[in-house]
Amino acid sequence: MENAFQKDTPKIFMEKPIWWKDEVVYQIYPKSFYDSNNDGIGDIKGITQKLDYLEKLGITMLWICPIFTSPMVDNGYDISDYKGIQPEFGTMADFDELLTAAKKRGIKIILDLVVNHSSDEHVWFQSALNDPTSKYRNYYIFKKGKNASPPNNWRSIFGGSVWEKVPNEENMYYFHTFDKKQPDLNWENPILRQEIYDMINWWLEKGISGFRIDSITFIKKDQDYADVTPDGADGLASVKHKGRNRPGIKDFLTELNRETFQKYECVSVGEAPGVTYEEYDQYIGHNGYFNMIFDFHYADIDVESGSEWFRRTNWQVKELKDQIFKSQEAIQRNGWGANFLENHDQPRSISKYINDPKYQNDIGAKALGTLFFFLRGTPFIYQGQELGMKNFIRETIADFNDVSSLDNYQRSMLEGFTSKEALEFVNQRSRDNSRTPFQWNASETAGFSESTSPWLKVVGDHKTINAELQMEQEDSVFYYYKKMIQLRNSSKYRDTLIYGEFVPVNTNDYIIAYERIIDTETIQVVINLRNQASFIDGISGEILLNNYSEITCERNGLKLQPYQALVLRKDKNHE
Ligand code: NOJ
Ligand code: CA
């Protein structure tokens, strides 16, 4: 088949197979996964108890969101002791037990590394705050204000100024990219950097397989700390302009890699928002800072800026397709990708990417699964995605827990939206959507806990969407994910699906199709991403996966049903 894009496809980045390319990662938000002691909060023992389930699904590695000691203002992304375990999650002995039990099943574990900031309750910060002469003051960023105002007009990611006034000191402020209870660590200080590297190596020595590295592009700030033209009704300007992926970050990231990850057989997955495709070589190339990074371009297709939810877009499938192709080409040209549809900061994918509620069902969940799972890179599945879990609709802002949801609600109203509109934005985008208790069964608390008051309310659709039910139904979303994992990792197409070149296929505006190619073997992935039938020409071959029970051949091609997804082995005669 003629492929309009093929001649432009850049040279593929090739290197020896490396273990982490073969993994299928499952992301766990521990607070919401399984509550083993019925206090309403998920915990580490809960993960250990559900390893059978994870093994059955077929995933090979877990990424567990922060389990370290924390006041939990941002659910663990505010760490007060990097080597301690948060008591509500369990103990270090529980973690060691999980590590061993997972290893027995061939499941590796990576943890979350949160080193752009700590909690304000960390002893370092407490010393820094209470004693201006303490060496710890230089572990953080303290600055004098300007004319009785904060040092500059940068807005934090969770709203309000990045500067918080130091109590009992005149005209002194400390810096926080996120919440005021998450003060930024001062990466300009080599002593602080060494402390961080020692801590990272301590965990790697313990036998974990690596890290997902949180917000890492924020560690370098423009040292002029100059004002920026305001970009909102609050008179502030996003910290992203001068506090994210800024010149000079290269030195920090090179050193971080050299002093830690490079010394171990581990994987490093960077959460690196703000990195342009031109910079991918530095981030994931041969001597890149990380093994892979997440690309947020199409995850945020529904909002102009990932952190301000009232700026909604009217995106079209064609744009989604273009963005996925652009992303894949950049990844392929430079290194390796960390592909995902969902995570703990995003709404559920069926609710985001499928506009017609009629298809926010098994068909839609499988279609989206197919779309992302066979892209070139390591797939990351977020808990509940393998069941097709969906967003909730909350009637009041009081039902939200997420710190950024509360901020976005206020910001929306400040920008002139009504409280009803503000609530709608938050319902659509809230990070709580993906943090609701995992739906294990149809019981009142969805089998997450025997406590009738889990820390966050359930979505409410667990009678029809839950793991127990899906494990009894051969055609469930769960089994579809299991089949996708088998096809990628254990079938004779493994090499093609893991290492094969990614090649976009030219189709109409509603179909997204691509090929994975090695030598003479070609696997085609085709998804009709709309609620009407669509035709595609020039596709034929053995069907390896289909989210419908049938396929209609018409004319010289296929008639795809609404949201139909197929994986085919391309006919060798049909070039
Ligand atoms: C990104 C994390 O994924 C998010 O959950 C957190 O709020 C921020 N970084 C701050 O650590
Ligand atoms: Ca618990």
Side-chain angles (χ1 to χ4, degrees), residues 308-319:
E308 296 207 309
W309 305 335
F310 49 85
R311 299 185 205 277
R312 294 203 62 83
T313 64
N314 180 24
W315 66 274
Q316 306 294 317
V317 173
K318 166 92 173 61
E319 275 169 75

Side-chain angles (χ1 to χ4, degrees), residues 68 111-115 199-200 211-214 256 261:
F68 317 101
L111 292 180
D112 225 301
L113 182 65
V114 189
V115 290
M199 177 275 289
I200 294 173
F211 284 105
R212 173 265 189 188
I213 301 111
D214 184 72
L256 165 67
F261 313 133

Side-chain angles (χ1 to χ4, degrees), residues 256-271:
L256 165 67
N257 186 24
R258 191 184 63 230
E259 296 299 316
T260 62
F261 313 133
Q262 256 186 20
K263 298 184 176 172
Y264 296 82
E265 277 280 291
C266 74
V267 63
S268 58
V269 188
E271 192 208 23

Side-chain angles (χ1 to χ4, degrees), residues 183-456:
D184 281 42
L185 290 162
N186 179 16
W187 276 70
E188 305 292 332
N189 177 356
I191 301 172
L192 173 273
R193 298 204 300 273
Q194 195 54 52
E195 293 248 28
I196 298 291
Y197 304 152
D198 292 347
M199 177 275 289
I200 294 173
N201 294 339
W202 182 86
W203 276 105
L204 290 170
E205 292 289 335
K206 224 175 183 333
I208 64 166
S209 299
F211 284 105
R212 173 265 189 188
I213 301 111
D214 184 72
S215 304
I216 199 64
T217 36
F218 286 97
I219 61 176
K220 179 81 190 181
K221 287 90 180 154
D222 280 1
Q223 293 300 297
D224 62 3
Y225 284 96
D227 278 344
V228 182
T229 313
D231 61 16
D234 56 1
L236 303 175
S238 171
V239 61
K240 292 174 188 170
H241 301 296
K242 284 174 78 69
R244 189 181 76 175
N245 199 27
R246 300 305 294 163
I249 197 169
K250 179 176 192 285
D251 297 336
F252 293 160
L253 296 181
T254 305
E255 186 185 85
L256 165 67
N257 186 24
R258 191 184 63 230
E259 296 299 316
T260 62
F261 313 133
Q262 256 186 20
K263 298 184 176 172
Y264 296 82
E265 277 280 291
C266 74
V267 63
S268 58
V269 188
E271 192 208 23
V275 176
T276 62
Y277 292 137
E278 287 70 44
E279 294 165 317
Y280 265 38
D281 179 49
Q282 290 168 45
Y283 275 80
I284 55 169
H286 256 303
N287 295 311
Y289 316 133
F290 303 106
N291 297 134
M292 47 183 132
I293 61 174
F294 296 111
D295 180 4
F296 295 97
H297 284 93
Y298 53 90
D300 289 335
I301 196 165
D302 59 326
V303 279
E304 270 171 37
S305 113
S307 56
E308 296 207 309
W309 305 335
F310 49 85
R311 299 185 205 277
R312 294 203 62 83
T313 64
N314 180 24
W315 66 274
Q316 306 294 317
V317 173
K318 166 92 173 61
E319 275 169 75
L320 178 64
K321 168 156 77 175
D322 290 348
Q323 290 199 16
I324 293 177
F325 288 176
K326 221 171 137 195
S327 168
Q328 281 284 291
E329 284 171 351
I331 290 168
Q332 165 156 287
R333 199 166 41 240
N334 294 289
W336 195 249
N339 299 317
F340 69 99
L341 269 184
E342 293 182 13
N343 63 37
H344 64 293
D345 293 331
Q346 292 284 333
R348 290 292 183 178
S349 55
I350 334 191
S351 309
K352 175 165 62 183
Y353 294 119
I354 297 188
N355 294 329
D356 184 345
K358 225 171 63 215
Y359 292 97
Q360 292 176 346
N361 59 9
D362 286 15
I363 290 291
K366 292 174 191 171
L368 292 175
T370 314
L371 172 63
F372 109 98
F373 194 81
F374 299 104
L375 295 173
R376 191 168 190 275
T378 300
F380 284 65
I381 302 166
Y382 179 71
Q383 65 183 45
Q385 180 185 324
E386 80 281 17
L387 303 178
M389 279 180 66
K390 291 189 267 190
N391 282 3
F392 51 59
I393 297 176
R394 306 287 204 224
E395 304 291 338
T396 155
I397 193 70
D399 277 345
F400 289 84
N401 168 280
D402 164 34
V403 51
S404 73
S405 300
L406 306 180
D407 165 56
N408 264 280
Y409 182 70
Q410 297 304 337
R411 282 273 300 128
S412 308
M413 290 192 297
L414 195 67
E415 294 286 335
F417 295 98
T418 64
S419 58
K420 189 161 169 264
E421 288 166 330
L423 190 64
E424 206 174 307
F425 296 137
V426 175
N427 266 312
Q428 276 164 333
R429 259 272 151 183
S430 174
R431 307 192 303 174
D432 282 347
N433 277 306
S434 53
R435 300 174 181 188
T436 53
F438 188 93
Q439 298 179 183
W440 291 104
N441 62 37
S443 72
E444 193 190 343
T445 50
F448 162 70
S449 168
E450 278 172 25
S451 156
T452 47
S453 50
W455 75 276
L456 192 64

Side-chain angles (χ1 to χ4, degrees), residues 530-544:
R530 73 163 166 175
N531 58 359
Q532 290 165 43
S534 266
F535 286 93
I536 181 165
D537 291 332
I539 295 267
S540 76
E542 181 194 350
I543 295 188
L544 306 177

